[in-house]
Amino acid sequence: MSRIVLKAILGFVMRVLYRPKVEGMERIPATGPVILAGNHVTFIDSLFLSLVVKRPVYFIGKDEYVTGTGIKGRLMAWFFTSAGMIPVDRDGGHGGVAALMTGRRVLEQGKAFGIYPEGTRSPDGRLYRGRTGIARLALMTGAPVVPFAMIGTDKVQPGGKGLPRIAPVTIRFGEALDFSRYDGMDRDRYVLRAVTDEVMSEVMELSGQEYVDIYATKARAAA
């Protein structure tokens, strides 16, 4: 119920203020497990994606978003969980495994799971090398991967901070990718890299971003 209320209110506000252009929505299966994999340029990407996709989309998020205290903490927890965020402690030594297993559980329940293969927001608007967790999820579950691109959300919230601004937004979905030809090869690192690179190539085509073949975390640290 909270998801329906949040989507109704924010969806109305979004349509009035931003009038987002959505392309390729019909490429998202109406039922069954599906991985939505895209670029990540600002904090509110997940919110836009969750509001435009007709079926519920679930994401991994930092558990600190839902562990606050007081009225503000409770409101934040309600907001993020209603938007589809599943809190996971990603800072610990097993954070990556926990995120992977959570995504697998969501997909095995026949739901839609949103993921940003870069692993973090782009530090400069370019598209960075994907982490192979997206490939492992696809091969472990057999779920199709629908690539998507967020275009313009970095103008809405530059740097991922501050109050959102009014700017044109386009959300573009590509054709679903089927990796069943690699069934049973989810531990082959060459296959995982090939699958991940194929997904990122599709995202690059959809977004029009310049591609950088290093991890975004490395680029952020260098900056």
Side-chain angles (χ1 to χ4, degrees):
M1 182 61 70
S2 59
R3 175 187 286 271
I4 295 174
V5 171
L6 181 67
K7 190 165 185 174
I9 296 173
L10 288 185
F12 174 77
V13 172
M14 181 190 70
R15 287 190 298 272
V16 171
L17 294 180
Y18 297 100
R19 300 182 181 277
K21 182 180 180 182
V22 182
E23 302 174 0
M25 179 71 75
E26 71 281 357
R27 292 166 172 166
I28 301 176
T31 60
V34 61
I35 301 171
L36 304 179
N39 60 334
H40 195 14
V41 292
T42 192
F43 178 77
I44 59 174
D45 288 335
S46 298
L47 183 58
F48 268 95
L49 184 66
S50 185
L51 290 174
V52 301
V53 175
K54 296 177 181 178
R55 58 186 293 190
V57 181
Y58 296 87
F59 304 87
I60 296 298
K62 295 180 180 179
D63 59 352
E64 64 190 58
Y65 294 146
V66 300
T67 55
T69 58
I71 295 177
K72 181 180 179 181
R74 289 196 294 272
L75 284 174
M76 285 185 63
W78 175 82
F79 177 82
F80 284 111
T81 55
S82 297
M85 193 198 87
I86 302 173
V88 170
D89 181 5
R90 299 187 303 176
D91 295 328
H94 300 287
V97 175
L100 185 67
M101 291 301 103
T102 300
R104 181 177 184 175
R105 185 172 68 251
V106 169
L107 292 167
E108 288 177 344
Q109 292 171 353
K111 299 176 180 178
F113 184 69
I115 187 171
Y116 303 109
E118 291 169 279
T120 187
R121 294 193 299 273
S122 170
D124 55 16
R126 296 185 294 176
L127 186 69
Y128 284 83
R129 194 179 200 213
R131 302 277 180 176
T132 57
I134 171 69
R136 291 200 65 191
L137 272 180
L139 299 189
M140 285 191 300
T141 64
V145 178
V146 174
F148 70 87
M150 288 288 175
I151 303 170
T153 52
D154 55 333
K155 304 298 189 300
V156 174
Q157 196 180 38
K161 299 180 180 179
L163 294 174
R165 305 173 182 178
I166 305 300
V169 171
T170 297
I171 303 161
R172 186 174 294 149
F173 297 97
E175 296 285 353
L177 304 175
D178 176 16
F179 295 108
S180 58
R181 62 188 182 278
Y182 296 123
D183 186 39
M185 304 176 71
D186 60 280
R187 293 189 179 277
D188 186 313
R189 64 189 181 96
Y190 296 106
V191 169
L192 294 177
R193 175 44 56 193
V195 169
T196 303
D197 288 347
E198 183 174 340
V199 172
M200 297 309 292
S201 177
E202 292 296 322
V203 173
M204 180 182 67
E205 289 294 323
L206 292 168
S207 69
Q209 291 170 282
E210 177 186 350
Y211 180 75
V212 185
D213 196 25
I214 62 172
Y215 292 121
T217 49
K218 184 176 180 180
R220 189 182 298 276

